Amino acid sequence: MNPKLEKALAIFGMLVFSGVIGMVSYGRGSDGAGGAGGSNPFDKIMVLFRYAYYAYTLFMLTVRLKTVVRPALRDVLIWGLMGVIFMSHLWSDFPNISEKNGQLTVLTTLFGLYIASRYSMKEQMNILQWTFGISVVFSLLYSGALPNYGIEQGTHKGAWRGPLLHKNHFARFMAISTVPLLFAALKAKKHRRIMWGIFILSVLLVQLSTSKTGLLVFLTLMLLVPLCKALQSTKSIVVPFLIIIVLIGASSATWLVSNWEPFLYGLGKDPTLTGRTYIWEFVIDKIKERPWLGFGYEAFWQPGGEGENVKFYILLVLSQAHNGYLDVAVHLGLIGFAFWFGSLILCFFRALIWARVGGEIEDLWPLLYVIFLIVYNNTESTIVETNSLFWILYVAASFSMKRIRAVIPGAWQVETENKKLV
C-alpha cells in the first residue's frame, strides 16, 4: 500500500475512534435534556467506519505478521487483561453485552498494536499531531456553527463540549491534545505561527469546557514537559523523583477538586454534598460482593444492573463510577484490575527509562500519556473502553517502547534488528 495513503487512513482512523467526526453531541441534549438517548444521524455511519477499520486492522496485521510478534510481546499484561475481558461474559450479569463489547475491545487493542508495529514513535506523533490539529479546528467550527449542540444548555450552561457528548469528555480530549500540538509547535520549521496558533486554540478550548479537572491536568502536563525533557540531558536521579512528586501531587489535586464539598464537610463545614465520594463508597461495597471476577465487562452500569442501586442512592444518572480504578475492579474484579494496574505501573517506569534514553522530544510522549491516564482516572474512566481512542493510544505507546537494558555503565542497548547501542 502507498505509505501516504496508509498514513492518511491511520489519521482518519484516529478521528473515527475519537468520536469527533461522529459529532456525538449533534441532535442530543445535555444534563437531562435528552442525554445520550437523542437521535444522531451519524451513529450508524460511525459504526460502519469502525467495523471497516477492524477488518482493515486484521488484514494489515496478517500481511505483516513477522513485524507484529515482537511488539505484541512487549506488554504481556495487556493480553492477560484482554483474556479476562474476552471471557467475562461467562460470569457477567449481561453476557451478550459483555461478549460483544469484549470482542470489540480486543479489536480496538489490535488497532493499537497495528499502529505500534507499523510506525515509529516519531511517525506516531506526526499522526497524532494531524489528528488533534484537525479535531481542534473542527471543534471550534462545529461549536460556532451549532452552539445549541456544541455548547451545553443545561446545568453546565455555557460550557463547551464541541462534537463530544459532555464537557468533561471534551476537556479530557483537549487536555491531552495539547501535548502533541506543543511538540509540533516547538519543532516546526515551516508554518510555525500556524502550529502555535492551533496549540493556543487547544488550550483555549480546555478553558471553554469549564472543567477544573481538565485545566488542572493541562497545567500538570505543561509543568512536566520541561521536567521530562530534563531526563534526556541529565543523569541525576533527582529529576525522576520530581516527576513522581508532581504525579502524586496532581493526582491528589484532582481528587480534591472533584470532592471539595465533601472535604469541607469533613472539616465541619456544611456545603451541599455533590462530590463523587458517595458513588465510590457504594461501588466499593459492590466490589466486595464479587471481588475476584467482578460483574462482567461493561455490565455493571447497564439499565437493570447492579449500578441501578447506585443511581437510586445518589439520584443521578450514571454510566461510570467517575473513577477508572473502581470501574475496572467492579467490572473485571481484582484479577482484571491486577492485569490493568500492573500494566499501567510497569508502563510508567518503562516510559521513564525510554524518555531518558531517547534523544527526541517525541520520546517523552509515552511518559506524559501514562501520567495523563494515572491522573485522569481519579475522576473519569479513561482507559479500558470499547472503541476508545484513549485505549488505542495506551496500547500503541506501551507496545512501541522497545526493551532497554544497561550493558555497561552509561550505555544502553535498545531492542532493534541489529542491536545498536544508543
Side-chain angles (χ1 to χ4, degrees), residues 6 10 14 56-74 79 109-121 123-124 127 392-402 415 417:
E6 190 173 358
M14 294 290 190
Y56 172 74
T57 297
L58 293 173
F59 172 77
M60 296 303 288
L61 290 177
T62 301
V63 299
R64 293 193 174 119
L65 190 59
K66 290 183 179 179
T67 66
V68 170
V69 176
R70 182 175 287 179
L73 295 177
R74 290 174 186 153
W79 300 119
T109 303
L110 291 177
F111 184 70
L113 173 60
Y114 158 68
I115 295 295
S117 63
R118 177 64 181 87
Y119 298 103
S120 67
M121 196 71 73
E123 290 169 329
Q124 289 180 43
I127 289 170
I392 290 170
L393 295 181
Y394 175 75
V395 170
S398 185
F399 286 153
S400 294
M401 288 185 290
K402 301 178 177 67
E415 172 199 303
E417 293 300 326

Side-chain angles (χ1 to χ4, degrees), residues 66-233:
K66 290 183 179 179
T67 66
V68 170
V69 176
R70 182 175 287 179
L73 295 177
R74 290 174 186 153
D75 190 342
V76 294
L77 292 177
I78 286 178
W79 300 119
L81 175 64
M82 288 303 104
V84 175
I85 288 175
F86 188 79
M87 298 298 293
S88 73
H89 68 276
L90 297 175
W91 59 84
S92 172
D93 289 346
F94 296 87
N96 292 336
I97 291 175
S98 294
E99 184 175 21
K100 179 182 178 180
N101 290 346
Q103 292 171 352
L104 291 176
T105 300
V106 172
L107 291 171
T108 306
T109 303
L110 291 177
F111 184 70
L113 173 60
Y114 158 68
I115 295 295
S117 63
R118 177 64 181 87
Y119 298 103
S120 67
M121 196 71 73
K122 189 173 184 178
E123 290 169 329
Q124 289 180 43
M125 193 52 47
N126 185 251
I127 289 170
L128 290 181
Q129 287 159 354
W130 275 102
T131 301
F132 287 126
I134 292 170
S135 299
V136 166
V137 174
F138 180 79
S139 296
L140 177 68
L141 296 176
Y142 175 90
S143 300
L146 300 168
N148 287 337
Y149 299 129
I151 302 175
E152 297 210 15
Q153 307 298 319
T155 304
H156 305 292
K157 185 175 182 180
W160 283 43
R161 64 174 180 174
L164 302 183
L165 188 60
H166 193 276
K167 74 180 188 75
N168 290 340
H169 299 172
F170 187 62
R172 176 181 59 178
F173 184 79
M174 287 300 151
I176 194 57
S177 77
T178 60
V179 176
L181 294 176
L182 175 61
F183 290 173
L186 290 171
K187 294 194 70 173
K189 295 180 180 178
K190 295 181 180 180
H191 312 298
R192 193 177 184 87
R193 291 183 179 178
I194 295 176
M195 296 296 100
W196 278 110
I198 295 175
F199 166 71
I200 292 171
L201 180 57
S202 68
V203 176
L204 177 62
L205 291 177
V206 173
Q207 294 178 311
L208 288 173
S209 73
T210 71
S211 168
K212 295 182 180 66
T213 300
L215 182 59
L216 178 60
V217 170
F218 158 71
L219 293 174
T220 300
L221 293 172
M222 293 302 103
L223 174 62
L224 284 168
V225 168
L227 277 177
C228 293
K229 187 63 179 172
L231 281 172
Q232 299 176 332
S233 59

